[in-house]
Amino acid sequence: MLMEALLIGLWAGIAGIDQFNGLTHIHRPIVTGAIIGLILGDLKLGLMAGATLELVWAGMVPLAGAQPPNVVIGGVIGTAFAILTNQDPAVAVGVAVPFAVAAQAIITLIFTGFSPLMHKMDEHAKQANTDGIDRLNYLQPILLFAFFFIIAFLPIFFGAEQAANIVNMLPEWLINGLSVAGGIMPAIGFAMLLNIMFKWVYAPFFAIGFVAVAYGNLPILAIAIVGVAIAAYDYFNQNNTKLKVAGHSNVSIDDEEDYSDGI
Amino acid sequence: MEYNKENEELINNDIQDTSNDKVLNKKDLNKMVWRSLLLQSSFNYERMQGGGWTYSIIPGLKKIHKNKKDLSNALQDHMQFFNTHPFLITFIQGVILAMEENKEKRETIRGIKVALMGPLGGIGDALFWLTLLPITGGIAASLSSEGNVAGPLLFLIAFNIVHFGLRFFLMHYGYGMGTKAISMLKEGTKKVSRAASIVGLTVVGALVASYINLRLDWTIQAGEIPVDIQGEVIDAIMPGLLPLLYTVFCYWLLKKGKSPLALIGMTIVVGLAGSLLGIM
């Protein structure tokens, strides 16, 4: 089983990278099922399991940064156990759930842990050291590969039950706490952005954008259109104001024109 | 203190080398399309795709900004919070690179970047995650379920023709559009940067309300009656109150000279404490 477990781990690692980088979608169950089928010597069953699991995950998509149960681990482990235990894939995917959850927890850890790294990148940016930025940007895919490899390897090699015990050793309060912290962290990113962009004259527009979502639940596109409308109004109004000021400083005839404009 | 001084520089910076020759060619743009595949390579909750976004346009920035100070300013600026749909990023790359090439004001570039990333994120979700993926996946699944190996092959080919076709098309389209827009808006760069800032700040306000997930999961007993603090108290005062307050608090701490790293530490403590107390 070692060889198969290693190959499955290898594929999970590659697919884990593809889920966030590259996005060629070789990480979807429809592809992963076939590959796992090939590794375990039953392509046909792999294809069928992949099809079932693809539909299971069809509705679970990453929207606005929120991550559903991990599709890579679900697809890989689900297919592997469907073939190994000769079960219906829709049932076998149940075996994959603790590992899909563990994978999501580790992704949360990585995404939280990479926040401080941004400040190392900032330093490189300050020095105009582009190679430094490049290097740091290659780090996370390597980590993702390693973690996905381990999480997929464990249940295949040690069996689902024992591997689940290992995976469940991750303390829940820690994972939950970090995921709560991760949810709040964009606030720091926005604060830094505001630190650069914010001027009191722009405060009303910030308020409009905020209220439109908080109270109005408008999509961002709608708000951007409102923003463009305000900006356009402001842009052309500035022109008018300037013309008027120029008009006043000239002769009184322009005043009359101003009135007629007003009516 | 140190931190804020740096940022003051970033706000008021003037471009030292203002020569705005066309230096980018098709090959450069294509190279940056490939780089865009690593947009999420340093994804994190604080800046999201900020690092990967910077990475994706580095070859262009290096070619455009021969002056080291200009390059450093541009890099620092792009390292800020960034998040959009990973398939539509090349459009933003194209527009922004055209603006960088023309040595537009940093304020304008920043505003346009923020104004584009938010809406494109939503459009991309609808187009790709909710349309392209279910269609190609669904058709492939029906083939695969009969044990036909054409399922996964067809899926990969169909999906990636659209995927890579769009990436390359949108880069060149964005670049062309950026160039055209610049020539149209030549008069009054000050007014343009003001307009860009207005749209940018409007979108940032919207992002603060939608991206930050800070809610209390806390019910207290008021006598006999359970009171849901988030649903019945905070949301009644103002929805999105906690994300707004936390952002303002972080902003204030930055102005006070606290480092962003300290803010990350503080946020992790808040998250762990909230989790241990069972109120978040």
Side-chain angles (χ1 to χ4, degrees), chain B residues 30 33 40 42 54 101 105 107 110 118 129 136 142 146-147 153 155 167 178 191 202 206 209 223 246 252 266 272 274:
Chain B
N30 287 336
V33 172
Q40 310 194 99
S42 52
T54 309
E101 197 174 36
K105 289 178 66 155
E107 206 183 350
R110 200 179 296 137
W129 301 158
T136 51
S142 70
E146 290 155 18
L153 292 177
F155 168 76
R167 272 197 203 256
K191 273 164 51 190
T202 311
Y246 201 86
W252 180 74
M266 173 184 82
L272 291 178

Side-chain angles (χ1 to χ4, degrees), chain B residues 11-114:
Chain B
I11 303 167
N12 299 320
N13 73 78
D14 290 311
I15 291 164
Q16 300 190 344
D17 178 2
T18 52
S19 58
N20 55 357
D21 302 331
K22 291 252 162 233
V23 289
L24 299 180
N25 54 39
K26 278 213 160 76
K27 222 177 120 195
D28 296 324
L29 294 179
N30 287 336
K31 191 172 164 192
M32 285 182 273
V33 172
W34 291 113
R35 278 201 163 221
S36 76
L37 292 173
L38 289 188
L39 173 69
Q40 310 194 99
S41 269
S42 52
F43 191 91
N44 63 89
Y45 291 124
E46 186 201 310
R47 313 271 183 90
M48 297 205 165
Q49 304 161 341
W53 157 256
T54 309
Y55 170 87
S56 78
I57 52 171
I58 275 179
L61 292 181
K62 266 165 80 176
K63 221 169 165 186
I64 292 163
H65 298 293
K66 295 283 180 226
N67 179 298
K68 198 181 164 192
K69 184 79 196 136
D70 288 345
L71 178 60
S72 154
N73 274 339
L75 289 170
Q76 290 183 70
D77 203 3
H78 286 301
M79 275 300 301
Q80 298 304 319
F81 181 97
F82 186 87
N83 200 49
T84 193
H85 193 282
F87 288 5
L88 299 177
I89 182 220
T90 53
F91 178 75
I92 308 181
Q93 282 180 303
V95 172
I96 294 301
L97 285 165
M99 295 178 73
E100 290 278 2
E101 197 174 36
N102 200 43
K103 304 284 167 79
E104 292 294 321
K105 289 178 66 155
R106 292 244 64 88
E107 206 183 350
T108 314
I109 294 178
R110 200 179 296 137
I112 296 290
K113 189 182 76 170
V114 172

Side-chain angles (χ1 to χ4, degrees), chain A residues 79-171:
Chain A
T79 307
F81 275 93
I83 295 174
L84 290 172
T85 61
N86 208 11
Q87 267 179 351
D88 178 12
V91 179
V93 77
V95 179
V97 166
F99 304 100
V101 171
Q104 218 42 60
I106 284 168
I107 290 166
T108 302
L109 272 173
I110 294 177
F111 287 173
T112 308
F114 263 71
S115 297
L117 205 82
M118 288 299 100
H119 302 277
K120 186 79 202 153
M121 269 197 187
D122 281 345
E123 271 169 45
H124 288 317
K126 209 174 158 222
Q127 308 296 330
N129 176 7
T130 54
D131 291 344
I133 296 175
D134 284 359
R135 268 199 306 278
L136 287 178
N137 206 45
Y138 298 133
L139 204 61
Q140 200 181 83
I142 299 170
L143 272 178
L144 284 172
F145 178 87
F147 278 118
F148 275 86
F149 180 95
I150 293 167
I151 292 181
F153 176 83
L154 288 176
I156 309 294
F157 191 68
F158 292 107
E161 233 168 272
Q162 266 187 305
N165 286 337
I166 302 173
V167 163
N168 284 335
M169 283 188 329
L170 288 165

Side-chain angles (χ1 to χ4, degrees), chain B residues 150-169:
Chain B
L153 292 177
L154 194 84
F155 168 76
L156 282 180
I157 293 167
F159 189 90
N160 283 304
I161 284 176
V162 178
H163 171 202
F164 282 95
L166 267 178
R167 272 197 203 256
F168 281 96
F169 168 75

